[in-house]
Amino acid sequence: MKKTKSIIDKIKEENIKQKPKWYFVLSKILNLLTFIICMLIGSLSFSVILFSIQQTDFDLISHMSHSRIELFLSLLPFFWITVLLIFLFGAIFIFKKSERGYKYPLYQLVVLTTAISFLFGTLFFIGGGSHWLENVFAEKVNFYENIHEKKMIMWMRPEEGFLSGTIEKVSEDEMQLTDFSNKKWNVNYKDAYIHKIVFIKKGEKVKLIGNITQGNKFLAKEIRPWNGKKKQNRGRNRSNKNIGD
Amino acid sequence: MTITKDICEKLSDNVIVKMSLTDIDYFLCLYNRYEIKLLRYIKRISGASDEQAKDILQESFIKIWQNLNNFNQRLKLSSWIYRIVHNETISCWRNNMSFGKDHQVQLDDNFIDNFFLDLELDEYKHQNEIHTHLILEQLPIKYKTVLVLRYMEEMSYNEISNVLKIPEGTVAARINRAKSNFIKIASINQFSF
């Protein structure tokens, strides 16, 4: 009984106070908010990764004469993959530290947080949030290499058969194209496969697969829209040309 | 107001916590109820001396007092208290090299007498128990902890999970590994049970 007295005496003498209830409630709310923010940022990152995959033609890497692994790695959105991983780990860590978080095994938390961020990330992507976020970063963050810059790495290789740029002039079988380094090209697209959502008209940005025939002359075998390649399988030859622009 | 032992005995853990929030004297009930068990637990997992164990317990109860508003009634109070005491013990054990780490267990009579005198186990002082405690002293702390909680404090997996803040599956796996280690040490030392 002597020792118990001394504990109570110590508490009284040193005026040791109980932490108030609001302190714990606030701490729990802050933890919850941090968890939600981590999940939100993780979801946004995943949506930009999806956007990046949609915008980058990974299927063409196998046709490249350049080192495939090197090219593949240069096209991966490392920035967003890193952000996704950091915030997923952050969310898992915060959840683990929550009142009942320790009850869940790590693998369950990894699966749960990944599934949530993938679900919301896909919704953001469908809603166009990823495009918006990518643009914001491209404009505001100096070191950020945006998806378009990565795409240019892929599509500014005319000697390897990949060319991109803006259509300047269109005639029956040929068009004039200015690439992103302002070089002018005469493109023959007589036998080219043109994807359904591509409109061959002045001002349209396109991606071409083919080969250089001579100097600045390019023979196109396939024409894709600059922004993604949706509904690729429904393409057809030359049927949607808007000639005369 | 003086809280007598009789009053304390009639109150449940949760009621004592509620009363303690408004009247510090009720906190004595909590201390009295858990003191012996917790001192025994501290000494079992850390190898601390009587004095060191009492200091750890005092620090733990100050933390319990400070965090009383954070006690979740869905949890058993004993689990919550054991958790705080466990954390405090591990923290002291890590900071204080004088006990626990590199502790060499001697098989002399004095050690055994003191060990079991402290634990009020005089009447059970037979060979198996001596061997059990000697092996526990040689186990890594995480294995020693789960074995002590499971077989000496007689806690369920759920309670151990709440004390150590690890999933129940991890508790089960750790107990299994602890048992294997226990058997290995027993065979090395040629102890038979």
Side-chain angles (χ1 to χ4, degrees):
Chain A
M1 205 64 192
K2 197 183 165 195
K3 194 71 192 175
T4 58
K5 268 291 173 202
S6 79
I7 278 177
I8 299 299
D9 289 346
K10 191 176 178 183
I11 290 170
K12 282 179 178 170
E13 279 162 19
E14 293 179 18
N15 197 21
I16 300 168
K17 298 276 183 209
Q18 289 170 343
K19 288 176 191 165
K21 190 133 188 129
W22 63 261
Y23 170 86
F24 297 107
V25 173
L26 189 68
S27 156
K28 279 169 197 168
I29 291 171
L30 283 176
N31 271 354
L32 181 68
L33 279 177
T34 317
F35 175 77
I36 291 170
I37 289 168
C38 282
M39 289 306 298
L40 200 69
I41 296 174
S43 302
L44 282 170
S45 310
F46 182 70
S47 75
V48 182
I49 291 168
L50 281 182
F51 178 63
S52 166
I53 291 167
Q54 184 214 32
Q55 292 291 309
T56 313
D57 305 72
F58 285 104
D59 60 312
L60 293 181
I61 287 173
S62 58
H63 302 295
M64 295 273 182
S65 57
H66 198 81
S67 163
R68 287 173 195 176
I69 294 170
E70 193 187 316
L71 194 64
F72 178 76
L73 291 176
S74 71
L75 292 172
L76 277 180
F78 277 115
F79 175 81
W80 292 106
I81 291 171
T82 311
V83 172
L84 173 69
L85 289 177
I86 289 172
F87 283 91
L88 275 189
F89 280 123
I92 291 167
F93 179 78
I94 291 161
F95 193 88
K96 261 281 187 205
K97 292 281 167 198
S98 69
E99 204 168 71
R100 304 285 290 167
Y102 65 88
K103 284 280 177 192
Y104 300 89
L106 190 63
Y107 77 89
Q108 275 184 16
L109 292 182
V110 170
V111 170
L112 185 78
T113 50
T114 307
I116 292 173
S117 58
F118 280 19
L119 175 72
F120 283 99
T122 309
L123 292 176
F124 279 131
F125 171 68
I126 293 166
S130 49
H131 197 174
W132 167 81
L133 189 68
E134 223 280 321
N135 283 341
V136 169
F137 265 76
E139 282 171 22
K140 311 261 179 195
V141 184
N142 284 337
F143 67 87
Y144 179 71
E145 188 188 39
N146 70 12
I147 290 166
H148 286 284
E149 286 167 3
K150 282 178 183 287
K151 247 164 95 174
M152 280 181 200
I153 295 171
M154 181 98 176
W155 287 97
M156 287 292 282
R157 299 165 185 271
E159 61 288 345
E160 290 183 38
F162 300 96
L163 180 65
S164 60
T166 310
I167 298 172
E168 297 292 346
K169 211 171 169 185
V170 180
S171 64
E172 182 62 27
D173 295 328
E174 278 201 357
M175 63 172 142
Q176 203 176 71
L177 183 120
T178 306
D179 70 16
F180 294 115
S181 59
N182 279 329
K183 187 179 174 183
K184 302 235 181 267
W185 293 85
N186 289 317
V187 177
N188 183 323
Y189 67 103
K190 192 181 171 190
D191 299 317
Y193 173 87
I194 305 164
H195 285 261
K196 191 169 183 176
I197 58 166
V198 178
F199 290 95
I200 307 293
K201 61 176 184 180
K202 190 182 172 187
E204 191 79 358
K205 284 181 181 172
V206 289
K207 298 179 290 195
L208 311 172
I209 301 170
N211 56 280
I212 298 172
T213 49
Q214 186 195 342
N216 67 340
K217 288 187 176 170
F218 194 87
L219 177 65
K221 290 173 185 164
E222 188 178 334
I223 304 178
R224 295 180 178 191
W226 175 249
N227 291 314
K229 49 184 177 63
K230 297 170 196 166
K231 298 172 187 171
Q232 184 179 335
N233 296 333
R234 286 198 254 159
R236 72 272 181 247
N237 285 341
R238 307 188 67 204
S239 57
N240 64 344
K241 290 178 188 173
N242 292 346
I243 299 163
D245 281 316
Chain B
M1 182 183 161
T2 311
I3 313 295
T4 63
K5 205 177 171 185
D6 286 344
I7 296 174
C8 284
E9 276 173 6
K10 285 174 193 161
L11 299 174
S12 71
D13 279 353
N14 286 350
V15 172
I16 295 174
V17 170
K18 266 186 189 168
M19 304 296 275
S20 301
L21 287 169
T22 49
D23 185 351
I24 191 172
D25 290 326
Y26 278 95
F27 197 58
L28 279 175
C29 298
L30 218 54
Y31 190 92
N32 287 336
R33 189 168 286 184
Y34 287 99
E35 181 188 15
I36 295 168
K37 275 179 165 182
L38 292 171
L39 277 174
R40 195 176 57 202
Y41 177 68
I42 292 166
K43 283 190 271 186
R44 276 174 173 168
I45 64 162
S46 66
S49 70
D50 216 32
E51 278 308 303
Q52 285 169 326
K54 280 176 184 170
D55 286 345
I56 292 170
L57 190 66
Q58 191 176 57
E59 284 307 310
S60 303
F61 263 86
I62 287 168
K63 283 193 176 147
I64 291 166
W65 167 253
Q66 285 176 316
N67 292 288
L68 216 50
N69 272 312
N70 195 32
F71 170 61
N72 182 349
Q73 303 265 348
R74 282 182 300 178
L75 205 68
K76 271 178 81 175
L77 182 72
S78 62
S79 301
W80 186 67
I81 287 179
Y82 265 88
R83 181 192 293 172
I84 293 171
V85 171
H86 173 83
N87 291 341
E88 188 64 25
T89 310
I90 297 298
S91 167
C92 287
W93 180 80
R94 284 190 180 136
N95 292 335
N96 191 348
M97 300 295 280
S98 65
F99 65 93
K101 200 172 182 184
D102 301 326
H103 182 68
Q104 292 297 309
V105 180
Q106 301 298 321
L107 276 164
D108 60 78
D109 289 341
N110 278 345
F111 168 79
I112 293 163
D113 285 345
N114 289 336
F115 198 94
F116 291 107
L117 189 69
D118 281 349
L119 307 181
E120 297 170 357
L121 284 170
D122 274 343
E123 65 225 71
Y124 305 112
K125 192 176 148 188
H126 54 77
Q127 204 64 23
N128 281 357
E129 279 164 345
I130 295 167
H131 288 169
T132 302
H133 286 281
L134 290 175
I135 294 167
L136 281 178
E137 282 295 301
Q138 294 176 60
L139 279 175
I141 191 125
K142 66 175 182 176
Y143 293 147
K144 182 159 58 171
T145 304
V146 285
L147 289 182
V148 168
L149 288 172
R150 179 76 180 130
Y151 298 106
M152 295 181 171
E153 305 300 320
E154 296 179 336
M155 285 189 183
S156 66
Y157 281 22
N158 182 40
E159 285 172 305
I160 299 172
S161 154
N162 290 332
V163 172
L164 301 179
K165 289 189 92 175
I166 52 175
E168 280 182 50
T170 309
V171 171
R174 203 174 280 183
I175 287 175
N176 277 336
R177 280 197 287 270
K179 279 183 190 169
S180 304
N181 275 268
F182 187 96
I183 293 164
K184 255 186 223 166
I185 294 171
S187 65
I188 289 167
N189 290 285
Q190 295 179 324
F191 294 152
S192 57
F193 292 94

